């Protein structure tokens, strides 16, 4: 009986050591990572691991692998891993040691769109854009949809183009909060095509100081007139010396950022879909 207890105790220690020896890694392949039953690209596919998924790396193998993607060589080796449902092998060239933010997935009729590393205020990660023409996503405070990768997966369209624009507004602050004019005037930038990194991967644009100068066009005199109309003559002193619409107590802020998808099917029918990102105040 004592021998049996010793054997069980040793087995438990080995099991604990095995679990603690695992290293957590995260799937960095944007289109997902294949989990196979042997360290070979022709081996049986067990499952497709999703972008950002956490897995446990059990051990390395001596089998190296080089993958060529978009003309770039990615070197690594097969490693044995454990997921929630399987133990198998993956290529570690697409693994990250650091946690990857979850992906927002937007489902269209014959296309799924993934936006990487974007925090939302409601943590909603899956959206549908099949029946309606537009979709609203609430961006988390401090986050931005700028300079984010947009990946087209399961695309069954002839052509997809993506454009971006901004909506900014001018606001005025005074000593009397009752006289503040929030979002006094809106300005929409022109639609611009976003960067295409690969055949299925794009990158959203970044709004620069030069950009707002180009499309925020209003005269200082118009602004002063608005202050008088809203607050009275005595408040003109707050803005009479400003040189442009970014001098305190006037401010320009981004309210919304839009992405427009122009989709062409194989019969040359064209559909437009718009994603509206609501930006929290203080952006």
């Amino acid at each position: 009986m004592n021998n049996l207890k010793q054997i069980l105790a040793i087995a438990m220690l080995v099991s604990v050591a095995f679990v603690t020896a695992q290293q957590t890694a995260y799937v960095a392949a944007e289109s997902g990572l294949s989990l196979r039953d042997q360290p070979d690209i022709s081996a049986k596919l067990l499952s497709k691991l999703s972008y950002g998924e956490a897995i446990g790396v059990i051990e390395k193998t001596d089998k190296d692998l080089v993958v060529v993607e978009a003309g770039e060589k990615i070197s690594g080796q097969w490693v044995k891993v454990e997921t929630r449902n399987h133990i198998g092998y993956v290529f570690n060239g697409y693994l990250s040691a650091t946690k990857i933010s979850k992906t927002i997935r937007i489902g269209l009729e014959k296309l799924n769109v993934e936006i990487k590393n974007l925090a939302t205020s409601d943590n909603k990660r899956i959206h549908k854009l099949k029946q309606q023409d537009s979709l609203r996503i609430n961006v988390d405070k401090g986050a931005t949809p700028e300079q984010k990768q947009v990946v087209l997966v399961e695309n069954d369209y002839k052509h997809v183009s993506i454009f971006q624009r901004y909506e900014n507004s001018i606001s005025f602050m005074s000593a009397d909060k009752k006289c503040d004019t929030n979002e006094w005037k809106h300005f929409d930038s022109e639609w611009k095509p976003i960067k295409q990194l690969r055949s299925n991967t794009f990158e959203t644009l970044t709004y620069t100081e030069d950009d707002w100068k180009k499309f925020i066009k209003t005269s200082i005199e118009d602004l002063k007139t608005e202050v008088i109309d809203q607050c009275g003559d005595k408040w003109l002193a707050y803005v009479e010396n400003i040189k442009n619409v970014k001098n305190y107590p006037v401010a320009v802020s981004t309210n919304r950022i839009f992405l427009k998808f122009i989709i062409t099917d194989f019969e040359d029918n064209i559909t437009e879909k718009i994603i509206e990102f609501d930006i929290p105040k203080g952006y």
Side-chain angles (χ1 to χ4, degrees), residues 214-225:
K214 292 177 182 177
F215 77 86
I216 300 295
K217 295 179 180 178
T218 190
S219 74
I220 300 303
E221 293 308 313
D222 286 345
L223 177 60
K224 291 177 181 179
T225 300

Side-chain angles (χ1 to χ4, degrees), residues 160-224:
V160 178
S161 299
I162 311 175
F163 297 82
Q164 181 174 334
R165 76 169 174 87
Y166 293 82
E167 178 192 89
N168 283 3
S169 67
I170 294 177
S171 59
F172 164 70
M173 295 166 285
S174 70
D176 182 355
K177 289 187 177 181
K178 294 179 181 178
C179 188
D180 288 355
T181 50
N182 295 320
E183 300 182 11
W184 164 57
K185 195 169 185 179
H186 292 291
F187 299 83
D188 294 331
S189 68
E190 296 179 354
W191 289 105
K192 290 184 178 180
I194 69 173
K195 301 175 185 177
Q196 185 165 6
L197 304 179
R198 293 184 287 278
S199 61
N200 72 327
T201 305
F202 298 77
E203 184 177 86
T204 56
L205 306 176
T206 301
Y207 180 64
T208 67
E209 188 77 6
D210 288 338
D211 290 326
W212 80 260
K213 289 179 181 178
K214 292 177 182 177
F215 77 86
I216 300 295
K217 295 179 180 178
T218 190
S219 74
I220 300 303
E221 293 308 313
D222 286 345
L223 177 60
K224 291 177 181 179

Side-chain angles (χ1 to χ4, degrees), residues 63-111:
K63 294 196 172 183
D64 297 329
L65 182 64
V66 177
V67 173
V68 178
E69 182 180 357
E72 180 182 352
K73 288 185 178 180
I74 302 172
S75 301
Q77 65 179 199
W78 290 95
V79 292
K80 190 175 185 179
V81 301
E82 183 176 13
T83 69
R84 183 177 297 180
N85 300 314
H86 300 283
I87 291 178
Y89 296 85
V90 300
F91 173 53
N92 70 356
Y94 289 113
L95 293 182
S96 170
T98 56
K99 189 174 182 179
I100 296 174
S101 298
K102 296 296 183 181
T103 298
I104 295 173
R105 175 169 279 227
I106 300 152
L108 285 78
E109 191 66 39
K110 299 178 182 178
L111 166 69

Side-chain angles (χ1 to χ4, degrees), residues 112-256:
N112 283 318
V113 177
E114 293 185 348
I115 302 175
K116 310 298 185 183
N117 301 326
L118 179 59
T120 59
S121 59
D122 55 7
N123 294 315
K124 188 174 181 181
R125 290 290 164 184
I126 298 182
H127 304 262
K128 293 182 179 179
L129 192 52
K130 292 181 180 180
Q131 305 301 325
Q132 64 269 37
D133 295 327
S134 63
L135 167 71
R136 176 178 293 183
I137 294 177
N138 299 307
V139 176
D140 200 11
K141 189 173 182 180
T144 173
E146 298 174 299
Q147 208 168 1
K148 295 292 187 292
Q149 287 197 3
V150 179
V151 182
L152 309 182
V153 294
E154 301 169 14
N155 180 16
D156 194 24
Y157 286 102
K158 182 178 179 180
H159 185 70
V160 178
S161 299
I162 311 175
F163 297 82
Q164 181 174 334
R165 76 169 174 87
Y166 293 82
E167 178 192 89
N168 283 3
S169 67
I170 294 177
S171 59
F172 164 70
M173 295 166 285
S174 70
D176 182 355
K177 289 187 177 181
K178 294 179 181 178
C179 188
D180 288 355
T181 50
N182 295 320
E183 300 182 11
W184 164 57
K185 195 169 185 179
H186 292 291
F187 299 83
D188 294 331
S189 68
E190 296 179 354
W191 289 105
K192 290 184 178 180
I194 69 173
K195 301 175 185 177
Q196 185 165 6
L197 304 179
R198 293 184 287 278
S199 61
N200 72 327
T201 305
F202 298 77
E203 184 177 86
T204 56
L205 306 176
T206 301
Y207 180 64
T208 67
E209 188 77 6
D210 288 338
D211 290 326
W212 80 260
K213 289 179 181 178
K214 292 177 182 177
F215 77 86
I216 300 295
K217 295 179 180 178
T218 190
S219 74
I220 300 303
E221 293 308 313
D222 286 345
L223 177 60
K224 291 177 181 179
T225 300
E226 177 68 16
V227 171
I228 293 173
D229 290 344
Q230 293 285 336
C231 312
D233 292 341
K234 63 180 181 179
W235 298 107
L236 183 59
Y238 287 99
V239 294
E240 62 182 354
N241 294 321
I242 65 172
K243 303 297 183 184
N244 64 62
V245 293
K246 273 201 167 182
N247 288 156
Y248 183 83
V250 180
V252 176
S253 59
T254 300
N255 304 311
R256 296 185 293 175

Side-chain angles (χ1 to χ4, degrees), residues 13-31:
L13 287 173
V14 171
S15 176
V16 170
F18 175 76
V19 172
T20 55
Q22 287 189 17
Q23 292 183 336
T24 301
Y26 302 88
V27 176
E30 293 168 355
S31 57

